[in-house]
Amino acid sequence: MIPNIRRGRRVGGLLRYLYGPGRREEHVNPHLVAAWDGAGPLSALEPAAGHLGKWDFRALADVLEQPVRSGRNPPRQAVWHCSLRTHPSDRRLSDVQWGRIAAEVMAQAGLAPHGDEGAVRWVAVRHGADHIHIVVTLVRQDRRTEWARHDRWRVQAACRDLEERYGLHRVGRAATARRRPTAPELHKARRLQRSEADRDVLRRETRFAAAAANGAEEFFALLREDGLLVRPRMSSTRPGEVTGYSVAIDRPDPIWYGGGRLATDLTLPRLRARWQETTAAPSTGEQDDLIDRAIREVRAAGLEGGDACDLLFVAARHVPGKAKRRILLRAADALDRAARPRRSAPARTRADLRVLARLLHLTGQLGDDRNTAAVLELLLAFARLAEALADLKAAGRQLHQARDAREAARLLRTAAGPLSPGVTQPLTPGRDRRQDPAAADAPGRHP
């Protein structure tokens, strides 16, 4: 269930739109499905159809605005408007069900708690099969202003609970470390015919450099080798100490992104905490033995997929073949979205995986004739890890992360296909490279 909250000043204008034909004649049979406690029967509140079929909203708008006119300190934007929409795959809900959902959202948002006779006045309007609109005036009937603080977080939490209660599709935001591109960033990328937004390019390159480095200096050097601009941030209280960084693609008028704007675990303090566990790296040894060790570590990783992502990002950069490299970069990005938490880094218990990621980077290209079978087994080990993670996330109703994990497993088995014919489905023929979100073929070349 997707909520969308806005503020406004005019109740009449909002009601006129909700009961009107819509921008594309999409509004059908507008009617009330719920109202505040003590409002009386809905039929008495329903706007009357006037001359030539026009609605008369004056009575409903007047009764909603009465607390605002008599309020002690009414807000400048006294109208609170929330739309609630179900997923296209959900069943059609009845008016009674929508009315109960609206009342529950109002209660959990703190605007009209159950049993509070002095709460704000509100109505819920339905003019479509899959959504309703809740119209609220933000002054309580006891004349006190309801400021609706933290309303978005509370409504989101209410929707997650209602999805579970009514068996609806979970469409809440995925709990991953990824910071998605904003709408202006996506529009700019399409306008300039770039394959992906700058934020996505920078996050992928930064995550590879973080996995391959063992300290801030090497991290910044790897970013510069990939053709990125790097701007360390110096401490304002301790001269000479680097406390953060920003990166940008080398273009005219570059747009800079701090590590925290790319992903929550890419800030410099968190990267330093990770590097402290990987500085004592063992000797590289033979590449065959290195891949065998990587296979064992991935198999032993269980469902702690975050550290395995570091190894996969490095492996994706060093396998031969541009097509396979693109697929593996997409798989690494999908597994990263599925495995990493959004607000805090997981307890890192697989330091050996990060050590191996660094060693794979130091040894260079993978996949020569001597270790083809070992590389195949490594990719399949990653695929099995992704499939197990998908089952875990699906069992926990984390459907976005489960979907990303399944996509990672599919891409990994696809990449393993050319190494072992018949193992997986073939590459998708004729894919438009401009639509490939991981089309960076070589370091330093960005769309």
Side-chain angles (χ1 to χ4, degrees):
M1 188 181 300
I2 304 174
N4 183 28
I5 298 174
R6 296 183 179 181
R7 301 286 183 96
R9 300 182 183 180
R10 298 171 56 242
V11 174
L14 177 56
L15 291 174
R16 190 173 298 109
Y17 167 73
L18 296 180
Y19 276 83
R23 294 185 176 91
R24 295 175 296 276
E25 303 293 331
E26 70 272 23
H27 295 177
V28 178
N29 185 27
H31 59 281
L32 298 178
V33 295
W36 71 95
D37 289 343
L42 295 179
S43 58
L45 293 175
E46 197 74 65
H51 183 60
L52 299 178
K54 293 185 177 181
W55 298 92
D56 186 356
F57 308 102
R58 288 175 295 179
L60 179 57
D62 180 70
V63 74
L64 288 172
E65 290 176 337
Q66 281 178 3
V68 178
R69 291 194 295 267
S70 61
R72 298 168 183 166
N73 183 29
R76 185 177 181 185
Q77 291 186 311
V79 181
W80 188 89
H81 171 211
C82 175
S83 63
L84 300 171
R85 184 179 300 273
T86 55
H87 191 268
S89 64
D90 286 330
R91 71 184 189 280
R92 179 168 179 170
L93 301 176
S94 67
D95 284 352
V96 173
Q97 290 173 321
W98 272 122
R100 292 171 179 168
I101 287 173
E104 191 63 30
V105 167
M106 291 296 297
Q108 293 197 36
L111 299 176
H114 296 305
D116 186 352
E117 297 181 355
V120 299
R121 292 183 177 181
W122 61 273
V123 293
V125 180
R126 183 179 186 181
H127 57 206
D130 62 346
H131 69 283
I132 61 170
H133 295 260
I134 305 176
V135 181
V136 183
T137 49
L138 292 176
V139 176
R140 292 168 51 88
Q141 297 176 76
D142 57 13
R143 300 176 60 196
R144 291 186 291 122
T145 295
E146 175 55 68
W147 298 106
R149 294 183 176 91
H150 309 296
D151 53 345
R152 285 175 171 79
W153 294 106
R154 292 177 176 179
V155 171
Q156 286 280 358
C159 287
R160 302 295 80 77
D161 178 65
L162 290 165
E163 288 164 353
E164 192 76 26
R165 189 183 308 179
Y166 285 87
L168 303 176
H169 183 76
R170 296 291 294 271
V171 294
R173 185 169 54 181
T176 63
R178 178 191 186 197
R179 300 292 193 188
R180 295 179 180 274
T182 63
E185 291 171 346
L186 293 173
H187 292 325
K188 180 180 180 180
R190 284 194 290 265
R191 185 175 68 252
L192 299 178
Q193 297 184 344
R194 295 170 181 165
S195 61
E196 55 185 333
D198 287 1
R199 187 192 297 264
D200 288 335
V201 176
L202 292 168
R203 184 181 58 254
R204 183 179 61 245
E205 300 295 334
T206 302
R207 197 170 290 291
F208 161 74
N214 71 340
E217 292 185 3
E218 185 177 3
F219 172 64
F220 295 149
L222 287 172
L223 290 173
R224 293 187 178 101
E225 288 177 10
D226 284 342
L228 301 180
L229 303 177
V230 182
R231 186 169 62 189
R233 185 176 69 249
M234 310 304 293
S235 172
S236 58
T237 58
R238 295 181 293 274
E241 180 180 346
V242 179
T243 59
Y245 69 95
S246 298
V247 291
I249 295 178
D250 190 2
R251 296 195 184 106
D253 299 324
I255 300 177
W256 294 88
Y257 292 82
R261 292 182 62 197
L262 302 176
T264 55
D265 61 335
L266 289 179
T267 62
L268 192 58
R270 290 191 176 177
L271 291 179
R272 281 175 169 155
R274 179 195 307 187
W275 293 326
Q276 286 177 358
E277 301 179 13
T278 60
T279 52
S283 59
T284 58
E286 293 292 333
Q287 191 182 49
D288 293 352
D289 178 62
L290 180 61
I291 298 176
D292 289 338
R293 287 159 54 194
I295 295 170
R296 291 194 297 270
E297 290 296 331
V298 172
R299 288 174 175 171
L303 297 177
E304 294 292 335
D307 295 327
C309 292
D310 293 344
L311 181 58
L312 183 54
F313 268 103
V314 174
R317 289 289 295 266
H318 290 291
V319 296
K322 293 181 179 180
K324 187 183 299 180
R325 193 176 302 134
R326 287 197 296 268
I327 294 173
L328 288 180
L329 285 171
R330 291 165 53 201
D333 193 47
L335 185 61
D336 180 73
R337 294 195 302 271
R340 297 186 192 268
R342 173 175 170 76
R343 293 183 178 84
S344 61
R348 295 191 174 270
T349 59
R350 305 298 307 176
D352 288 345
L353 281 169
R354 297 188 301 282
V355 170
L356 287 169
R358 173 167 166 74
L359 295 183
L360 281 179
H361 170 66
L362 294 175
T363 56
Q365 183 171 338
L366 299 174
D368 57 26
D369 293 337
R370 296 178 302 167
N371 55 25
T372 298
V375 172
L376 167 64
E377 187 58 36
L378 177 61
L379 297 183
L380 293 179
F382 273 117
R384 296 185 190 103
L385 172 65
E387 289 163 350
L389 186 63
D391 292 340
L392 176 68
K393 298 299 183 181
R397 300 284 293 174
Q398 298 176 4
L399 302 184
H400 285 277
Q401 290 178 287
R403 179 198 60 195
D404 290 333
R406 291 192 187 97
E407 176 67 5
R410 184 189 70 81
L411 292 168
L412 286 161
R413 292 190 176 276
T414 297
L419 294 175
S420 179
V423 171
T424 71
Q425 53 188 316
L427 297 177
T428 303
R431 181 180 178 87
D432 186 352
R433 187 180 182 277
R434 291 175 299 174
Q435 303 301 321
D436 191 342
D441 297 336
R445 297 181 61 187
H446 305 295

